[in-house]
Amino acid sequence: MSIAIITGAGSGIGQAIAVKLAVDGYKVLVNDFNADAAEKTVARIGSNAAAHHGDVSNPADVAQMIEHCHRAFGAPTHLINNAGHVHQAAFTDLSVDDFDHMIAVHLRGTFLCTKSVLPGMLSAGKGCVVNVASQLGQIGGVELVHYSAAKAGIIGMTKALSREMSAQGVRVNAVAPGPINTPLVRALSPDWQAAKAAELPLGHFGEPQDVADTVAFLCSDAARLYVGQTLCPNSGDVML
Ligand code: ADP
């Protein structure tokens, strides 16, 4: 049986991943900082899902999340580190708190959640971790120094951890989505959206479902040769 924990699965890409893995037959623990959002995702899936309200950057919450998964379904076989947040500001306006919060959610969160599932995966001799990074961690986003640094850090963690874990049966990979139709992108000006879409070789943004399909592939046995990789569902966007 496959049992996945998906963090930040109350909305957007995380929700699409939870729904896709459930359709593929996984039991899914839907974590989110926002309890109502987590419950909404679970309502879409049904009895193969359970909601966990918790902050991925808080060790006590993460410990509870793993216990909750064991109680509801059993030991997690898959972990999708997706929880994140975006905050845009010019570098000169960024505060130390902005920076620390960004690093806490993305890097400390990925670190804590991964550390908490690894003992079980190592004793089972198999497991799979997929980290959700961003194209902006590869090319850098305008007024997104802290976000870009955090997402680049996730790619580095993915590569380094896969070197330690692959021989023990635990595959660690990442996805770095390009422009995806999320509420955040839809809130940007229609002119910007049209100009950006026109730049893309495919001529359109991806959907959260496209990222979920890539994650589901990395989670599957079809991806058995993929370790330490970062796959880029990005409509062919030019990487600078
Ligand atoms: P995207 O559009 O890229 O999918 P969203 O903002 O829609 O991004 O989704 C990110 C999810 O992560 C949100 O549901 C948010 O509540 C959740 N989240 C943010 N910070 C944390 C955290 N510290 N712990 C758990 N979940 C978090």
Side-chain angles (χ1 to χ4, degrees):
M1 184 170 48
S2 296
I3 300 168
I5 297 177
I6 303 107
T7 68
S11 74
I13 289 169
Q15 183 181 67
I17 294 169
V19 170
K20 168 67 180 164
L21 293 183
V23 166
D24 286 354
Y26 292 60
K27 308 276 187 196
V28 294
L29 188 78
V30 172
N31 155 272
D32 206 284
F33 190 53
N34 176 334
D36 290 347
E39 291 294 352
K40 276 193 189 131
T41 299
V42 168
R44 276 189 61 185
I45 296 171
S47 60
N48 286 333
H52 180 263
H53 174 212
D55 176 351
V56 293
S57 68
N58 178 319
D61 286 7
V62 172
Q64 276 174 14
M65 180 175 82
I66 302 307
E67 272 173 39
H68 191 158
C69 186
H70 276 266
R71 248 194 345 267
F73 304 122
T77 58
H78 292 70
L79 168 69
I80 318 301
N81 284 306
N82 166 77
H85 90 113
V86 183
H87 161 252
Q88 193 168 20
F91 184 68
T92 45
D93 294 334
L94 273 184
S95 69
V96 173
D97 283 350
D98 292 335
F99 182 81
D100 286 348
H101 181 56
M102 191 61 80
I103 298 299
V105 175
H106 292 97
L107 282 184
R108 186 179 154 98
T110 298
F111 171 81
L112 287 173
C113 293
T114 305
K115 240 178 137 44
S116 72
V117 299
L118 270 177
M121 291 181 179
L122 289 173
S123 64
K126 62 179 182 170
C128 177
V129 177
V130 180
N131 297 324
V132 178
S134 164
Q135 171 180 262
L136 299 179
Q138 298 169 306
I139 63 175
V142 175
E143 298 189 337
L144 289 166
V145 165
H146 51 343
Y147 180 82
S148 303
K151 291 297 196 181
I154 286 176
I155 294 171
M157 277 174 73
T158 302
K159 289 180 181 169
L161 188 61
S162 81
R163 286 179 170 246
E164 275 186 55
M165 295 299 157
S166 298
Q168 298 171 78
V170 179
R171 292 188 302 107
V172 186
N173 289 289
V175 292
I180 303 293
N181 237 332
T182 57
L184 193 95
V185 166
R186 283 197 296 277
L188 300 172
S189 85
D191 285 353
W192 181 88
Q193 292 183 55
K196 182 68 196 170
E199 262 178 29
L200 299 172
L202 278 183
H204 61 81
F205 292 2
E207 297 296 327
Q209 183 61 47
D210 295 307
V211 182
D213 288 344
T214 308
V215 171
F217 165 68
L218 286 172
C219 285
S220 74
D221 288 343
R224 59 193 168 275
L225 291 188
Y226 287 75
V227 292
Q229 299 288 312
T230 299
L231 300 190
C232 306
N234 66 4
S235 305
D237 200 3
V238 177
M239 302 289 244
L240 298 174

PDB file of all heavy atoms in Angstrom, residues 1 3 12 16 20 23 47 50 55 59 69-70 85 111 125 132 140 143 148-149 151 182 193 201 203-204 208 217 223:
ATOM      1  N   MET A   1       0.850  -1.205   0.000  1.00  0.00           N
ATOM      2  CA  MET A   1       0.000   0.000   0.000  1.00  0.00           C
ATOM      3  C   MET A   1       0.888   1.258   0.000  1.00  0.00           C
ATOM      4  O   MET A   1       1.883   1.306   0.707  1.00  0.00           O
ATOM      5  CB  MET A   1      -0.888   0.014   1.237  1.00  0.00           C
ATOM      6  CG  MET A   1      -1.841   1.168   1.237  1.00  0.00           C
ATOM      7  SD  MET A   1      -3.110   1.116   2.524  1.00  0.00           S
ATOM      8  CE  MET A   1      -2.222   0.747   4.008  1.00  0.00           C
ATOM      9  N   ILE A   3       1.338   5.179   0.875  1.00  0.00           N
ATOM     10  CA  ILE A   3       0.801   6.171   1.818  1.00  0.00           C
ATOM     11  C   ILE A   3       1.637   7.446   1.672  1.00  0.00           C
ATOM     12  O   ILE A   3       2.847   7.421   1.914  1.00  0.00           O
ATOM     13  CB  ILE A   3       0.906   5.644   3.268  1.00  0.00           C
ATOM     14  CG1 ILE A   3       0.108   4.334   3.415  1.00  0.00           C
ATOM     15  CG2 ILE A   3       0.447   6.701   4.264  1.00  0.00           C
ATOM     16  CD1 ILE A   3       0.388   3.589   4.708  1.00  0.00           C
ATOM     17  N   GLY A  12      -4.042  25.006  -4.406  1.00  0.00           N
ATOM     18  CA  GLY A  12      -3.122  25.090  -5.538  1.00  0.00           C
ATOM     19  C   GLY A  12      -2.473  23.768  -5.921  1.00  0.00           C
ATOM     20  O   GLY A  12      -3.122  22.727  -6.046  1.00  0.00           O
ATOM     21  N   ALA A  16      -3.684  19.700  -5.908  1.00  0.00           N
ATOM     22  CA  ALA A  16      -3.718  18.899  -7.140  1.00  0.00           C
ATOM     23  C   ALA A  16      -2.894  17.619  -6.965  1.00  0.00           C
ATOM     24  O   ALA A  16      -3.287  16.544  -7.455  1.00  0.00           O
ATOM     25  CB  ALA A  16      -3.197  19.718  -8.317  1.00  0.00           C
ATOM     26  N   LYS A  20      -4.434  13.848  -7.202  1.00  0.00           N
ATOM     27  CA  LYS A  20      -3.859  12.929  -8.195  1.00  0.00           C
ATOM     28  C   LYS A  20      -3.361  11.638  -7.536  1.00  0.00           C
ATOM     29  O   LYS A  20      -3.631  10.534  -8.025  1.00  0.00           O
ATOM     30  CB  LYS A  20      -2.710  13.649  -8.929  1.00  0.00           C
ATOM     31  CG  LYS A  20      -1.820  12.772  -9.772  1.00  0.00           C
ATOM     32  CD  LYS A  20      -2.543  12.184 -10.973  1.00  0.00           C
ATOM     33  CE  LYS A  20      -1.591  11.312 -11.789  1.00  0.00           C
ATOM     34  NZ  LYS A  20      -2.324  10.431 -12.714  1.00  0.00           N
ATOM     35  N   VAL A  23      -6.254   9.497  -6.589  1.00  0.00           N
ATOM     36  CA  VAL A  23      -6.824   8.847  -7.780  1.00  0.00           C
ATOM     37  C   VAL A  23      -5.955   7.648  -8.178  1.00  0.00           C
ATOM     38  O   VAL A  23      -6.458   6.608  -8.623  1.00  0.00           O
ATOM     39  CB  VAL A  23      -6.940   9.860  -8.952  1.00  0.00           C
ATOM     40  CG1 VAL A  23      -7.198   9.167 -10.285  1.00  0.00           C
ATOM     41  CG2 VAL A  23      -8.037  10.882  -8.652  1.00  0.00           C
ATOM     42  N   SER A  47     -12.650   9.113   1.880  1.00  0.00           N
ATOM     43  CA  SER A  47     -12.114   8.381   3.035  1.00  0.00           C
ATOM     44  C   SER A  47     -10.653   7.953   2.866  1.00  0.00           C
ATOM     45  O   SER A  47     -10.041   7.483   3.835  1.00  0.00           O
ATOM     46  CB  SER A  47     -12.974   7.163   3.330  1.00  0.00           C
ATOM     47  OG  SER A  47     -12.968   6.332   2.196  1.00  0.00           O
ATOM     48  N   ALA A  50      -6.910  12.124   4.992  1.00  0.00           N
ATOM     49  CA  ALA A  50      -7.137  12.693   6.319  1.00  0.00           C
ATOM     50  C   ALA A  50      -6.423  14.036   6.367  1.00  0.00           C
ATOM     51  O   ALA A  50      -5.389  14.222   5.719  1.00  0.00           O
ATOM     52  CB  ALA A  50      -6.589  11.758   7.399  1.00  0.00           C
ATOM     53  N   ASP A  55       2.141  23.305  11.103  1.00  0.00           N
ATOM     54  CA  ASP A  55       3.149  24.158  10.475  1.00  0.00           C
ATOM     55  C   ASP A  55       4.401  23.311  10.232  1.00  0.00           C
ATOM     56  O   ASP A  55       4.988  22.783  11.185  1.00  0.00           O
ATOM     57  CB  ASP A  55       3.447  25.313  11.460  1.00  0.00           C
ATOM     58  CG  ASP A  55       4.552  26.236  10.978  1.00  0.00           C
ATOM     59  OD1 ASP A  55       5.231  25.920   9.974  1.00  0.00           O
ATOM     60  OD2 ASP A  55       4.751  27.277  11.626  1.00  0.00           O
ATOM     61  N   PRO A  59       8.838  21.762  14.820  1.00  0.00           N
ATOM     62  CA  PRO A  59       9.143  20.340  15.068  1.00  0.00           C
ATOM     63  C   PRO A  59       8.007  19.578  15.757  1.00  0.00           C
ATOM     64  O   PRO A  59       7.759  18.417  15.431  1.00  0.00           O
ATOM     65  CB  PRO A  59      10.388  20.389  15.958  1.00  0.00           C
ATOM     66  CG  PRO A  59      11.013  21.715  15.671  1.00  0.00           C
ATOM     67  CD  PRO A  59       9.887  22.655  15.347  1.00  0.00           C
ATOM     68  N   CYS A  69      -0.311  10.263  10.655  1.00  0.00           N
ATOM     69  CA  CYS A  69      -0.250   9.404   9.465  1.00  0.00           C
ATOM     70  C   CYS A  69      -0.235   7.931   9.889  1.00  0.00           C
ATOM     71  O   CYS A  69      -0.976   7.104   9.334  1.00  0.00           O
ATOM     72  CB  CYS A  69       0.982   9.757   8.629  1.00  0.00           C
ATOM     73  SG  CYS A  69       1.045   8.855   7.068  1.00  0.00           S
ATOM     74  N   HIS A  70       0.566   7.613  10.896  1.00  0.00           N
ATOM     75  CA  HIS A  70       0.626   6.215  11.383  1.00  0.00           C
ATOM     76  C   HIS A  70      -0.747   5.763  11.876  1.00  0.00           C
ATOM     77  O   HIS A  70      -1.175   4.644  11.589  1.00  0.00           O
ATOM     78  CB  HIS A  70       1.656   6.095  12.516  1.00  0.00           C
ATOM     79  CG  HIS A  70       3.054   5.903  12.006  1.00  0.00           C
ATOM     80  ND1 HIS A  70       3.639   4.673  11.845  1.00  0.00           N
ATOM     81  CD2 HIS A  70       3.977   6.800  11.581  1.00  0.00           C
ATOM     82  CE1 HIS A  70       4.870   4.808  11.360  1.00  0.00           C
ATOM     83  NE2 HIS A  70       5.097   6.098  11.198  1.00  0.00           N
ATOM     84  N   HIS A  85       5.252  29.619   0.691  1.00  0.00           N
ATOM     85  CA  HIS A  85       4.542  30.879   0.516  1.00  0.00           C
ATOM     86  C   HIS A  85       5.408  31.841  -0.282  1.00  0.00           C
ATOM     87  O   HIS A  85       6.633  31.716  -0.297  1.00  0.00           O
ATOM     88  CB  HIS A  85       4.091  31.451   1.866  1.00  0.00           C
ATOM     89  CG  HIS A  85       5.068  32.345   2.521  1.00  0.00           C
ATOM     90  ND1 HIS A  85       4.832  33.689   2.680  1.00  0.00           N
ATOM     91  CD2 HIS A  85       6.290  32.112   3.037  1.00  0.00           C
ATOM     92  CE1 HIS A  85       5.879  34.227   3.274  1.00  0.00           C
ATOM     93  NE2 HIS A  85       6.769  33.305   3.509  1.00  0.00           N
ATOM     94  N   PHE A 111      13.437  20.120   5.571  1.00  0.00           N
ATOM     95  CA  PHE A 111      14.391  19.382   6.421  1.00  0.00           C
ATOM     96  C   PHE A 111      13.657  18.581   7.501  1.00  0.00           C
ATOM     97  O   PHE A 111      13.859  17.375   7.657  1.00  0.00           O
ATOM     98  CB  PHE A 111      15.358  20.398   7.048  1.00  0.00           C
ATOM     99  CG  PHE A 111      16.261  19.845   8.116  1.00  0.00           C
ATOM    100  CD1 PHE A 111      17.420  19.155   7.783  1.00  0.00           C
ATOM    101  CD2 PHE A 111      15.962  20.031   9.460  1.00  0.00           C
ATOM    102  CE1 PHE A 111      18.267  18.651   8.771  1.00  0.00           C
ATOM    103  CE2 PHE A 111      16.799  19.531  10.453  1.00  0.00           C
ATOM    104  CZ  PHE A 111      17.954  18.837  10.106  1.00  0.00           C
ATOM    105  N   GLY A 125      13.553  -0.091   3.729  1.00  0.00           N
ATOM    106  CA  GLY A 125      14.452  -0.281   2.577  1.00  0.00           C
ATOM    107  C   GLY A 125      13.927   0.354   1.311  1.00  0.00           C
ATOM    108  O   GLY A 125      14.455   0.137   0.226  1.00  0.00           O
ATOM    109  N   VAL A 132       8.987  20.178  -3.852  1.00  0.00           N
ATOM    110  CA  VAL A 132       8.479  21.135  -4.836  1.00  0.00           C
ATOM    111  C   VAL A 132       9.323  22.405  -4.751  1.00  0.00           C
ATOM    112  O   VAL A 132       9.248  23.164  -3.777  1.00  0.00           O
ATOM    113  CB  VAL A 132       6.981  21.424  -4.623  1.00  0.00           C
ATOM    114  CG1 VAL A 132       6.491  22.455  -5.632  1.00  0.00           C
ATOM    115  CG2 VAL A 132       6.176  20.123  -4.748  1.00  0.00           C
ATOM    116  N   GLY A 140      16.155  32.781 -10.748  1.00  0.00           N
ATOM    117  CA  GLY A 140      16.024  33.986  -9.911  1.00  0.00           C
ATOM    118  C   GLY A 140      14.800  34.786 -10.314  1.00  0.00           C
ATOM    119  O   GLY A 140      14.564  35.014 -11.499  1.00  0.00           O
ATOM    120  N   GLU A 143      12.514  40.726  -7.455  1.00  0.00           N
ATOM    121  CA  GLU A 143      12.044  41.075  -6.101  1.00  0.00           C
ATOM    122  C   GLU A 143      11.643  39.836  -5.309  1.00  0.00           C
ATOM    123  O   GLU A 143      10.695  39.844  -4.524  1.00  0.00           O
ATOM    124  CB  GLU A 143      10.895  42.100  -6.173  1.00  0.00           C
ATOM    125  CG  GLU A 143      11.359  43.406  -6.817  1.00  0.00           C
ATOM    126  CD  GLU A 143      10.352  44.529  -6.737  1.00  0.00           C
ATOM    127  OE1 GLU A 143       9.152  44.224  -6.592  1.00  0.00           O
ATOM    128  OE2 GLU A 143      10.764  45.685  -6.812  1.00  0.00           O
ATOM    129  N   SER A 148      13.668  32.909  -4.081  1.00  0.00           N
ATOM    130  CA  SER A 148      14.555  32.226  -5.035  1.00  0.00           C
ATOM    131  C   SER A 148      15.646  31.458  -4.298  1.00  0.00           C
ATOM    132  O   SER A 148      15.988  30.323  -4.669  1.00  0.00           O
ATOM    133  CB  SER A 148      15.180  33.237  -5.995  1.00  0.00           C
ATOM    134  OG  SER A 148      14.182  33.965  -6.673  1.00  0.00           O
ATOM    135  N   ALA A 149      16.193  32.081  -3.244  1.00  0.00           N
ATOM    136  CA  ALA A 149      17.250  31.410  -2.466  1.00  0.00           C
ATOM    137  C   ALA A 149      16.698  30.162  -1.784  1.00  0.00           C
ATOM    138  O   ALA A 149      17.338  29.109  -1.762  1.00  0.00           O
ATOM    139  CB  ALA A 149      17.818  32.373  -1.421  1.00  0.00           C
ATOM    140  N   LYS A 151      14.128  28.326  -2.728  1.00  0.00           N
ATOM    141  CA  LYS A 151      13.820  27.277  -3.712  1.00  0.00           C
ATOM    142  C   LYS A 151      15.108  26.665  -4.286  1.00  0.00           C
ATOM    143  O   LYS A 151      15.162  25.464  -4.550  1.00  0.00           O
ATOM    144  CB  LYS A 151      12.930  27.838  -4.825  1.00  0.00           C
ATOM    145  CG  LYS A 151      11.512  28.185  -4.353  1.00  0.00           C
ATOM    146  CD  LYS A 151      10.762  26.955  -3.864  1.00  0.00           C
ATOM    147  CE  LYS A 151       9.251  27.182  -3.761  1.00  0.00           C
ATOM    148  NZ  LYS A 151       8.549  25.974  -3.272  1.00  0.00           N
ATOM    149  N   THR A 182      -1.987  29.496 -11.099  1.00  0.00           N
ATOM    150  CA  THR A 182      -2.429  29.406  -9.702  1.00  0.00           C
ATOM    151  C   THR A 182      -3.092  30.742  -9.352  1.00  0.00           C
ATOM    152  O   THR A 182      -2.931  31.729 -10.083  1.00  0.00           O
ATOM    153  CB  THR A 182      -1.214  29.187  -8.771  1.00  0.00           C
ATOM    154  OG1 THR A 182      -0.299  30.254  -8.985  1.00  0.00           O
ATOM    155  CG2 THR A 182      -0.524  27.872  -9.050  1.00  0.00           C
ATOM    156  N   GLN A 193       0.279  38.590 -17.877  1.00  0.00           N
ATOM    157  CA  GLN A 193       0.003  37.166 -18.138  1.00  0.00           C
ATOM    158  C   GLN A 193       0.033  36.879 -19.635  1.00  0.00           C
ATOM    159  O   GLN A 193       0.602  35.868 -20.074  1.00  0.00           O
ATOM    160  CB  GLN A 193      -1.364  36.768 -17.575  1.00  0.00           C
ATOM    161  CG  GLN A 193      -1.400  36.791 -16.055  1.00  0.00           C
ATOM    162  CD  GLN A 193      -2.753  36.315 -15.543  1.00  0.00           C
ATOM    163  OE1 GLN A 193      -3.213  35.234 -15.875  1.00  0.00           O
ATOM    164  NE2 GLN A 193      -3.396  37.137 -14.734  1.00  0.00           N
ATOM    165  N   PRO A 201       7.355  28.779 -25.487  1.00  0.00           N
ATOM    166  CA  PRO A 201       7.256  27.952 -26.683  1.00  0.00           C
ATOM    167  C   PRO A 201       5.899  27.263 -26.812  1.00  0.00           C
ATOM    168  O   PRO A 201       5.358  27.164 -27.914  1.00  0.00           O
ATOM    169  CB  PRO A 201       8.402  26.953 -26.511  1.00  0.00           C
ATOM    170  CG  PRO A 201       9.430  27.729 -25.746  1.00  0.00           C
ATOM    171  CD  PRO A 201       8.647  28.569 -24.782  1.00  0.00           C
ATOM    172  N   GLY A 203       3.151  28.438 -25.563  1.00  0.00           N
ATOM    173  CA  GLY A 203       2.153  29.505 -25.721  1.00  0.00           C
ATOM    174  C   GLY A 203       1.131  29.599 -24.601  1.00  0.00           C
ATOM    175  O   GLY A 203       0.211  30.407 -24.660  1.00  0.00           O
ATOM    176  N   HIS A 204       1.282  28.760 -23.571  1.00  0.00           N
ATOM    177  CA  HIS A 204       0.334  28.851 -22.448  1.00  0.00           C
ATOM    178  C   HIS A 204       0.988  28.367 -21.164  1.00  0.00           C
ATOM    179  O   HIS A 204       1.959  27.611 -21.197  1.00  0.00           O
ATOM    180  CB  HIS A 204      -0.944  28.054 -22.729  1.00  0.00           C
ATOM    181  CG  HIS A 204      -0.688  26.584 -22.945  1.00  0.00           C
ATOM    182  ND1 HIS A 204      -0.509  25.697 -21.918  1.00  0.00           N
ATOM    183  CD2 HIS A 204      -0.562  25.867 -24.095  1.00  0.00           C
ATOM    184  CE1 HIS A 204      -0.292  24.492 -22.406  1.00  0.00           C
ATOM    185  NE2 HIS A 204      -0.308  24.563 -23.730  1.00  0.00           N
ATOM    186  N   PRO A 208      -2.009  23.396 -12.272  1.00  0.00           N
ATOM    187  CA  PRO A 208      -1.537  22.603 -11.131  1.00  0.00           C
ATOM    188  C   PRO A 208      -1.525  21.099 -11.441  1.00  0.00           C
ATOM    189  O   PRO A 208      -0.621  20.374 -11.012  1.00  0.00           O
ATOM    190  CB  PRO A 208      -2.551  22.951 -10.030  1.00  0.00           C
ATOM    191  CG  PRO A 208      -2.958  24.358 -10.360  1.00  0.00           C
ATOM    192  CD  PRO A 208      -3.006  24.414 -11.868  1.00  0.00           C
ATOM    193  N   PHE A 217       4.554  10.888 -11.456  1.00  0.00           N
ATOM    194  CA  PHE A 217       5.550  10.095 -12.187  1.00  0.00           C
ATOM    195  C   PHE A 217       6.760   9.824 -11.292  1.00  0.00           C
ATOM    196  O   PHE A 217       7.214   8.682 -11.161  1.00  0.00           O
ATOM    197  CB  PHE A 217       5.977  10.825 -13.471  1.00  0.00           C
ATOM    198  CG  PHE A 217       7.229  10.244 -14.071  1.00  0.00           C
ATOM    199  CD1 PHE A 217       7.240   8.968 -14.622  1.00  0.00           C
ATOM    200  CD2 PHE A 217       8.424  10.952 -14.034  1.00  0.00           C
ATOM    201  CE1 PHE A 217       8.419   8.420 -15.129  1.00  0.00           C
ATOM    202  CE2 PHE A 217       9.597  10.411 -14.539  1.00  0.00           C
ATOM    203  CZ  PHE A 217       9.597   9.139 -15.088  1.00  0.00           C
ATOM    204  N   ALA A 223       9.697   5.708 -12.405  1.00  0.00           N
ATOM    205  CA  ALA A 223      10.795   6.670 -12.203  1.00  0.00           C
ATOM    206  C   ALA A 223      11.929   6.044 -11.403  1.00  0.00           C
ATOM    207  O   ALA A 223      12.725   6.760 -10.790  1.00  0.00           O
ATOM    208  CB  ALA A 223      10.267   7.916 -11.496  1.00  0.00           C
TER     209      ALA A 223
END
